Amino acid sequence: MSYPTYFESFDVKAMLNDYPIGDAFLEKYSTGSKDELQAFQNQQFMKCVKRAWEIPFYQRLWGNAGVKPEDIQSIKDIEKLPVYSKTEIMDSVAAYPPFGDMHGMDFSKGDTNHTMVLHTTSGTTGRPQPLFFSPKSREVQGLLLGRIYRMQGLKPHEIVHSVYGHGLINGGHYVREGVTHYTNALFMSAGTGVETRSKQQVNLMKDFGTNVIIGFADYIKKLADTAKEEGIEPGKDIPVRMISGHMGRESREAISEAWGGAEIFDWYGVGDTGAIAGEGPDHDGLYVMEDAHYVEVCDPDTNKPLPKGDIGNLIVTCLYKDDIFPVIRFNTCDVTRIKTSPSKLGLDLDRIEGFLGRSDNMVKLRGINIYPQGFAPVLEKRSDFAGDYICIADRDSTGRDELLVKVEVEDINNSDVSAYQALLKQSFGVEMPVELASKGELAPLTQTEVRQKPIRLIDNRFK
């Protein structure tokens, strides 16, 4: 049987020309024109739309919204297309098991001419979702992340310690591909505390001379505590100079201090899309990879685009996924805003604030929107905060929502719960009950050791 192998299925040189990396990327978007970028976006968008009309998922989604092929003549017409989210994807999986009908492949016909990569989401908000990539879209995804790491200053041959998971989840695998294929750094795939025990990780980091840590902020901070317990001084015995991960609302100062003053960088992406935006050395927002993604910030209730600077849901269109599993106006349900100040690096690219919370995890208390992911930097103002917390939402018989905040402290016998309650009221403008817990007690609920993204909300309101 004859069929193309992975790297024979697309033009690598054309990909590198369309999506420059390193100095070529910085030069192109500091000297090129916005008109050229928009023309490229439009060209790629129309390829994606043409492919999507061939796929049952989009035929159904767009047809039900009354959209016809002739309605979309350019990217300026994108708002005519309906927004969708994981809900519609999982409905597709349920109706057409096991993979749904959004990928555009008919497995029953035995098509062997299309190499595909299959992973899943983490299942943070429910059942894991299948994710599909062609070799081309897989490599573009990795390239974009490699581009971000290089923009942040990652150097060849530096030792990169990754705490991303490497099971079925997409994240750890494509991060590894991004580093090894596009940065020339040395990648250590340590994974979570389940894949490689935390104590073993910090000792390996010391032995190998780790320079860079990548992953989710919660576990990176925990590793610093584990190192100290092992008699290892972070930043000295482990010479980490750079941490790049998903900071969200976490305290950068606390993470940097824990690792001896390492420089902190943020980047943002989701499983369906890969890396969307990354922080540069100016530390002023996350630069959107606009040649590969078209982003909108929309009202969570109406899905209508908001003016730049307003907070809303991030809606993403992948401009490079024009073959398998196109992603057009995907609602991430992640909340952010587009920054309006000029780039200090002189890059003519939009910047987003970063991850500010999830609209589907929002709890409204007395008219105030509360995002549980945003509690860490507030709690860290207390010196006795031990680093872990969880929020539990309940709704009483009158329809009133309450949010209980459980907080780990260093010494439960000498901590003042009223001080935490006052701190939360001062920071969020609403009273919330607080329960204190001993260090490590909340791990079964937050699953910090075993999940890439710890659980921060248990929502009992709709049970």
Side-chain angles (χ1 to χ4, degrees):
M1 182 183 297
S2 177
Y3 49 86
T5 58
Y6 183 93
F7 284 107
E8 291 175 307
S9 65
F10 70 104
D11 188 334
V12 175
K13 289 186 178 180
M15 179 193 72
L16 292 169
N17 182 67
D18 286 342
Y19 304 101
I21 192 169
D23 292 341
F25 161 67
L26 296 174
E27 181 178 354
K28 181 172 184 177
Y29 292 106
S30 60
T31 62
S33 73
K34 199 72 170 182
D35 288 343
E36 290 175 348
L37 172 59
Q38 291 171 347
F40 182 71
Q41 286 181 317
N42 187 68
Q43 172 189 322
Q44 300 301 100
F45 173 73
M46 293 308 295
K47 288 181 183 178
C48 294
V49 169
K50 180 181 178 181
R51 174 59 177 142
W53 274 118
E54 300 170 348
I55 296 174
F57 175 82
Y58 281 104
Q59 292 170 353
R60 184 170 61 253
L61 178 71
W62 294 351
N64 290 342
V67 181
K68 300 181 290 296
E70 57 268 26
D71 294 335
I72 310 300
Q73 298 296 317
S74 76
I75 201 168
K76 293 180 181 178
D77 296 320
I78 194 170
E79 291 177 33
K80 297 178 182 179
L81 297 172
V83 167
Y84 75 95
S85 68
K86 182 177 178 178
T87 298
E88 286 74 22
I89 291 289
M90 296 310 293
D91 287 346
S92 169
V93 172
Y96 305 96
F99 298 131
D101 66 347
M102 66 287 184
H103 43 73
M105 299 299 298
D106 188 346
F107 297 109
S108 66
K109 293 181 179 179
D111 183 359
T112 57
N113 289 320
H114 294 86
T115 301
M116 294 203 306
V117 178
L118 169 63
H119 282 293
T120 72
T121 61
S122 63
T124 301
T125 58
R127 178 182 175 183
Q129 169 196 328
L131 301 170
F132 290 93
F133 309 91
S134 69
K136 184 197 76 172
S137 65
R138 186 69 180 180
E139 289 305 308
V140 173
Q141 185 185 65
L143 181 152
L144 295 174
L145 184 54
R147 173 196 278 181
I148 289 170
Y149 285 145
R150 288 171 67 165
M151 177 177 67
Q152 293 172 345
L154 180 61
K155 301 179 179 66
H157 304 143
E158 287 198 291
I159 310 298
V160 178
H161 186 91
S162 169
V163 297
Y164 290 102
H166 294 83
L168 288 170
I169 301 168
N170 179 44
H173 296 280
Y174 102 81
V175 169
R176 173 181 52 79
E177 293 160 13
V179 172
T180 57
H181 294 182
Y182 301 102
T183 73
N184 288 4
L186 298 176
F187 187 84
M188 300 302 299
S189 54
T192 65
V194 170
E195 293 170 293
T196 309
R197 291 182 300 107
S198 300
K199 289 183 179 180
Q200 186 179 2
Q201 287 199 37
V202 295
N203 281 284
L204 286 172
M205 292 167 77
K206 177 184 177 183
D207 291 343
F208 289 137
T210 295
N211 312 108
V212 178
I213 309 176
I214 58 177
F216 286 87
D218 304 80
Y219 190 66
I220 291 174
K221 178 69 163 57
K222 175 179 174 54
L223 279 181
D225 295 336
T226 302
K228 292 172 185 174
E229 292 168 2
E230 289 290 290
I232 298 170
E233 185 177 342
K236 180 180 178 182
D237 299 324
I238 305 174
V240 173
R241 66 161 196 87
M242 168 181 162
I243 294 171
S244 181
H246 308 286
M247 297 299 117
R249 307 303 288 169
E250 302 296 326
S251 169
R252 292 162 175 259
E253 293 77 11
I255 297 171
S256 175
E257 182 181 351
W259 281 100
E263 188 171 8
I264 307 296
F265 292 94
D266 193 6
W267 70 272
Y268 172 81
V270 295
D272 303 70
T273 68
I276 294 170
E279 185 175 6
D282 55 341
H283 298 289
D284 187 19
L286 280 60
Y287 287 89
V288 178
M289 303 293 106
E290 287 194 77
D291 52 351
H293 297 288
Y294 184 84
V295 303
E296 307 164 80
V297 174
C298 295
D299 184 286
D301 296 320
T302 66
N303 290 327
K304 298 295 183 183
L306 296 169
K308 287 188 176 182
D310 286 4
I311 294 177
N313 281 349
L314 188 67
I315 311 295
V316 184
T317 297
C318 292
L319 299 173
Y320 62 91
K321 297 196 74 174
D322 58 4
D323 42 27
I324 294 170
F325 189 27
V327 176
I328 301 174
R329 298 205 85 196
F330 174 67
N331 184 357
T332 66
C333 293
D334 288 341
V335 177
T336 191
R337 63 158 65 92
I338 295 176
K339 295 180 72 71
T340 56
S341 57
S343 162
K344 296 175 183 177
L345 297 182
L347 294 178
D348 197 9
L349 295 170
D350 277 348
R351 287 167 294 132
I352 58 174
E353 185 96 359
F355 177 76
L356 301 179
R358 285 192 61 82
S359 59
D360 56 0
N361 269 3
M362 183 192 75
V363 180
K364 181 163 286 200
L365 298 178
R366 270 59 87 200
I368 297 175
N369 295 338
I370 304 293
Y371 298 99
Q373 292 92 343
F375 277 54
V378 173
L379 295 172
E380 284 168 352
K381 294 177 182 178
R382 294 281 308 172
S383 61
D384 57 344
F385 173 54
D388 212 2
Y389 70 95
I390 195 164
C391 302
I392 301 175
D394 285 288
R395 178 169 292 170
D396 66 21
S397 58
T398 67
R400 179 185 172 99
D401 288 349
E402 294 291 351
L403 194 67
L404 169 66
V405 185
K406 293 190 174 186
V407 181
E408 284 190 3
V409 292
E410 296 289 350
D411 183 355
I412 196 168
N413 295 318
N414 291 297
S415 293
D416 184 1
V417 68
S418 64
Y420 279 93
Q421 290 171 334
L423 176 63
L424 293 180
K425 183 178 180 181
Q426 179 186 22
S427 301
F428 296 102
V430 62
E431 289 185 353
M432 288 172 269
V434 174
E435 286 185 7
L436 301 182
S438 299
K439 189 173 182 179
E441 186 179 340
L442 298 180
L445 296 177
T446 63
Q447 299 184 30
T448 301
E449 279 277 4
V450 300
R451 296 175 63 92
Q452 293 191 94
K453 293 180 281 187
I455 296 169
R456 293 302 180 206
L457 174 67
I458 296 174
D459 197 340
N460 298 323
R461 291 175 294 171
F462 309 107
K463 293 182 178 179

